[in-house]
Amino acid sequence: MKKIKYLAFAIVIVLLSIYLYKSFIYYLIPFNPIKEYSSESDVDFHFSKNLPKGVGVNAKCQDAKTCGLVLEYLSGLELIPLKDKAAQEMLNYENATYFNGMLKFNESEMISISDISIDTPNVLRISSSIIGFKNGYYEIEDSTFDYNYIYDLIGDTKE
């Protein structure tokens, strides 16, 4: 009977630990999901600026060296995961200019960087169809997203 009590107590402690990690601790630990792809050499990058009236400006990386620099910048960001509700409260979608980007590896794996608003350039959404990828909103710690740097790197802008 004592073994069953100890087993039940252990199960409760494990379940409580998992709940605490998923609900609180996970959102305190810096994590950049792009960092594990920073050594990729075959990378394409598309970036678009969406204006409030539906007008967009698109840019695409033309050479491997530039795409590598973009990937280095993105993988070097200090990111902290955000709960979706907290991120939605921080973002302002009404009449906002926002940016979207897409990293494409080996023509099949893609990572989408979206919801980067000029009003809140320290919050972004990172998602991918890659199995095991940590999709979600992230806050840039100690800085903001430097979209001008990205556009200056790419240089080839099309309307």
Side-chain angles (χ1 to χ4, degrees):
M1 194 61 151
K2 278 188 176 183
K3 289 183 181 181
I4 294 175
K5 286 182 183 178
Y6 288 128
L7 181 62
F9 181 72
I11 290 172
V12 167
I13 294 296
V14 168
L15 292 175
L16 183 61
S17 298
I18 292 170
Y19 171 76
L20 287 173
Y21 177 77
K22 286 185 175 183
S23 298
F24 302 105
I25 297 170
Y26 173 76
Y27 297 101
L28 300 174
I29 302 170
F31 175 71
N32 186 336
I34 301 172
K35 193 173 275 189
E36 67 185 74
Y37 299 94
S38 63
S39 63
E40 294 285 334
S41 59
D42 186 19
V43 180
D44 287 335
F45 183 70
H46 306 273
F47 200 59
S48 62
K49 179 179 182 180
N50 301 297
L51 303 172
K53 305 267 190 232
V55 180
V57 178
N58 297 313
K60 180 181 178 182
C61 235
Q62 295 298 323
D63 66 333
K65 182 179 178 187
T66 303
C67 290
L69 290 172
V70 170
L71 180 59
E72 181 182 318
Y73 172 75
L74 293 172
S75 63
L77 292 172
E78 294 292 324
L79 302 175
I80 295 179
L82 285 174
K83 292 183 179 182
D84 289 350
K85 185 176 181 180
Q88 293 295 332
E89 290 173 1
M90 294 172 80
L91 294 171
N92 175 19
Y93 289 109
E94 292 182 28
N95 296 322
T97 300
Y98 60 95
F99 298 91
N100 295 315
M102 182 173 299
L103 290 164
K104 190 173 183 182
F105 304 98
N106 304 322
E107 299 195 25
S108 63
E109 297 178 331
M110 293 182 236
I111 297 175
S112 176
I113 300 120
S114 59
D115 297 351
I116 307 165
S117 171
I118 285 183
D119 298 333
T120 50
N122 61 332
V123 175
L124 50 97
R125 176 163 175 69
I126 301 175
S127 60
S128 178
S129 60
I130 299 171
I131 296 172
F133 193 87
K134 302 275 188 191
N135 296 329
Y137 285 97
Y138 292 86
E139 183 175 13
I140 301 172
E141 188 177 56
D142 298 332
S143 68
T144 59
F145 188 83
D146 192 355
Y147 41 83
N148 289 323
Y149 173 72
I150 299 293
Y151 268 109
D152 289 344
L153 273 178
I154 295 173
D156 180 17
T157 304
K158 304 177 226 169
E159 287 205 41

